[in-house]
Amino acid sequence: MHGPDVTLKQIGEAFAALAAGVEKTHGFLLGIGLSPPTPVDFKRGCVVGPSVLPGWDEFDIIGRLNAGFSVPVYVENDVNLMTICEHKRRVPTVEDMFFVKVGTGIGSGMIAGGRLFRGAQGAAGDIGDIQFLSDDAPLCRCGKFGCVEARRRLGDRPRPLLPRLPRRNSAMCSTSSNSGNPRP
């Protein structure tokens, strides 16, 4: 795994190629967005307390990318961006929403009063590292024991946390949430 210097150099080169194409077709580039899978301090544009990105804690991502581009650079947690997208595109009239992403990691995003809620440290939705201690608590990749994510990843293959549930889209869940019925 590469640290931020090598990774951001590669990202900068890829952005430069994309920007050249955008400038040819559209005439200008509006901005750059980067969404790492870790808690982010949105105002400062840096990773805070990374569990999966060693060496990135407090690294000035915006400063590094601004050195090569004259457009605004935004850094936001990956699941927060998914949450914003789901809210804006699928359920824009919903004031309060909880979005959960289960993949390699487990994360969530929250919309409260129609706005993304990041929390004081940018980790409001970092639910994968909530600990449930027991005598057999497994070691998580973040270094703690008993995290939700570690319990899901026992052994080599991820295992389900819940029994198989029927698939629901965000519009269905939001509609049922607004009606006071937790299940559609």
Side-chain angles (χ1 to χ4, degrees):
M1 176 182 274
H2 298 292
D5 287 315
V6 172
T7 302
L8 288 173
K9 181 178 185 283
Q10 293 172 342
I11 289 171
E13 290 167 357
F15 277 148
L18 287 171
V22 167
E23 288 171 359
K24 285 179 186 172
T25 58
H26 294 82
F28 58 92
L29 179 66
L30 292 175
I32 295 173
L34 191 67
S35 59
T38 187
V40 167
D41 182 325
F42 179 77
K43 290 180 182 173
R44 294 186 302 134
C46 65
V47 171
V48 289
S51 59
V52 295
L53 297 176
W56 286 76
D57 196 18
E58 301 295 326
F59 191 88
D60 184 12
I61 298 169
I62 290 176
R64 174 61 53 91
L65 291 175
N66 268 338
F69 301 93
S70 58
V71 295
V73 176
Y74 301 96
V75 183
E76 179 62 91
N77 169 269
D78 61 339
V79 182
N80 281 349
L81 282 182
M82 291 178 196
T83 303
I84 292 167
C85 182
E86 285 292 310
H87 183 251
K88 297 285 184 198
R89 289 182 165 225
R90 296 185 187 261
V91 288
T93 60
V94 171
E95 288 289 313
D96 303 304
M97 173 180 141
F98 186 71
F99 177 88
V100 177
K101 175 238 161 214
V102 178
T104 304
I106 300 171
S108 71
M110 293 173 262
I111 301 289
R115 299 180 57 140
L116 180 68
F117 179 72
R118 292 182 179 94
Q121 307 267 322
D126 197 15
I127 61 174
D129 290 318
I130 294 173
Q131 294 175 279
F132 295 93
L133 296 179
S134 63
D135 291 336
D136 63 342
L139 177 64
C140 184
R141 62 186 175 160
C142 75
K144 297 186 289 186
F145 285 91
C147 296
V148 172
E149 213 170 276
R151 292 184 180 282
R152 179 178 172 266
R153 297 197 60 79
L154 288 175
D156 291 334
R157 296 175 39 171
R159 62 187 186 134
L161 288 172
L162 300 170
R164 190 90 173 138
L165 300 172
R167 293 190 76 152
R168 296 184 177 104
N169 66 36
S170 58
M172 292 167 55
C173 292
S174 297
T175 301
S176 61
S177 171
N178 287 339
S179 67
N181 180 2
R183 293 200 165 111

